[in-house]
Amino acid sequence: MRIAVAGATGNIGALTVAALERGGHDVVRVSRSLGVDLSTGDGLDDALAGVEAVVDVTNGPAAGPAEAVAYFGTATRNLLAAEERAGVRHHVLLSIAAVDRVEGNAHYAGKREQERLVAVGPVPWTIVRATQFHDFAAMVASWTEQDGVAAIAPLLVQPIAPADVADILGEIALGEPQGRYADIAGPDPQDLVDMARRTNEARGRVVKLVPTWSAGFGLAMAGNVLMPGEGARIAPTTFDEWLAEQR
């Protein structure tokens, strides 16, 4: 199949491209750095010529809810319109588990708008909500790190390996549109603070972690809020297995 990956130069995008290419598929990389701009639509028609399915793993700025909604809204409208013109038969969107259970987070607001537009759009679709990735904890700590100290929220998550996400997205893109797909998650619940500590240790970094709910994620995300929904698809790679590759 000829499949386009929007956000192809990001972490999940690059892994999805690799997974599809291992399967022998013709992959079109869609990214601003490669001359295709979702915000303006420039280059989209040429990129999607002959494409049967699109996997959207794009990310966006989250300065505030309004900005995130505007960015994801514009990009998604442009992408869906180009897909309709090209005759694309399947739009696969990567979203976030619990995206509809968390208010006040700019990125989640943008992703909800993205989901809404896909669900009412002209192209048959599958929306795949994933839990946080295995590398999420260390990334969150890096946002606040200063002089070897980082504030981080004590979130309960059930993280999934990025490579597993890519494999699942590639598999789904090859099939028929399924609408709202089951949540995808890793095998085991984890504490975000402990994940960050262990990841930094594995990478040889010394960072003092300060658990706090004032570190970008509020109490709206406490408890089981970020856990996958009932009937979730559990990916195979554990956090320990992923961590072993970071050493």
Side-chain angles (χ1 to χ4, degrees):
M1 286 178 60
R2 185 171 173 83
I3 302 171
V5 177
T9 56
N11 181 27
I12 298 297
L15 289 168
T16 303
V17 168
L20 288 166
E21 288 184 338
R22 284 195 303 270
H25 301 285
D26 179 16
V27 183
V28 178
R29 294 164 174 80
V30 174
S31 172
R32 182 179 299 173
S33 64
L34 301 175
V36 185
D37 192 340
L38 296 183
S39 295
T40 63
D42 290 345
L44 265 176
D45 287 334
D46 288 341
L48 298 186
V51 165
E52 298 175 68
V54 172
V55 180
D56 184 0
V57 296
T58 53
N59 228 321
E67 293 86 353
V69 168
Y71 173 83
F72 279 113
T74 298
T76 303
R77 287 186 185 93
N78 286 336
L79 182 56
L80 291 172
E83 290 177 20
E84 185 179 26
R85 292 192 295 270
V88 171
R89 65 165 188 82
H90 191 184
H91 181 97
V92 181
L93 172 65
L94 176 62
S95 190
I96 310 169
V99 71
D100 52 358
R101 300 201 297 267
V102 176
E103 297 294 335
N105 182 284
H107 185 64
Y108 279 50
K111 295 298 287 185
R112 284 194 295 271
E113 175 66 1
Q114 193 179 33
E115 284 196 6
R116 185 188 70 80
L117 291 169
V118 168
V120 301
V123 181
W125 54 274
T126 305
I127 293 175
V128 185
R129 293 179 177 179
T131 55
Q132 287 66 36
F133 307 143
H134 282 160
D135 55 359
F136 178 71
M139 180 177 67
V140 169
S142 73
W143 295 343
T144 64
E145 183 181 342
Q146 191 170 10
D147 298 327
V149 179
I152 183 170
L155 299 174
L156 176 65
V157 296
Q158 191 165 324
I160 185 170
D164 287 346
V165 174
D167 287 344
I168 292 170
L169 291 174
E171 170 201 315
I172 290 172
L174 302 179
E176 295 299 316
Q178 301 182 55
R180 174 76 164 78
Y181 194 78
D183 288 355
I184 60 174
D188 306 305
Q190 301 282 341
D191 172 73
L192 199 72
V193 180
D194 186 58
M195 287 175 64
R197 176 186 60 78
R198 294 172 65 196
T199 303
N200 283 331
E201 286 178 354
R203 293 173 174 173
R205 302 196 70 251
V206 178
V207 181
K208 180 181 178 181
L209 300 174
V210 180
T212 173
W213 286 111
S214 62
F217 299 95
L219 286 169
M221 292 185 172
N224 292 326
V225 171
L226 299 183
M227 290 291 97
E230 191 173 341
R233 175 173 175 176
I234 304 302
T237 308
T238 67
F239 180 67
D240 285 344
E241 289 168 338
W242 175 85
L243 198 62
E245 299 174 356
Q246 307 303 303
R247 301 184 187 280

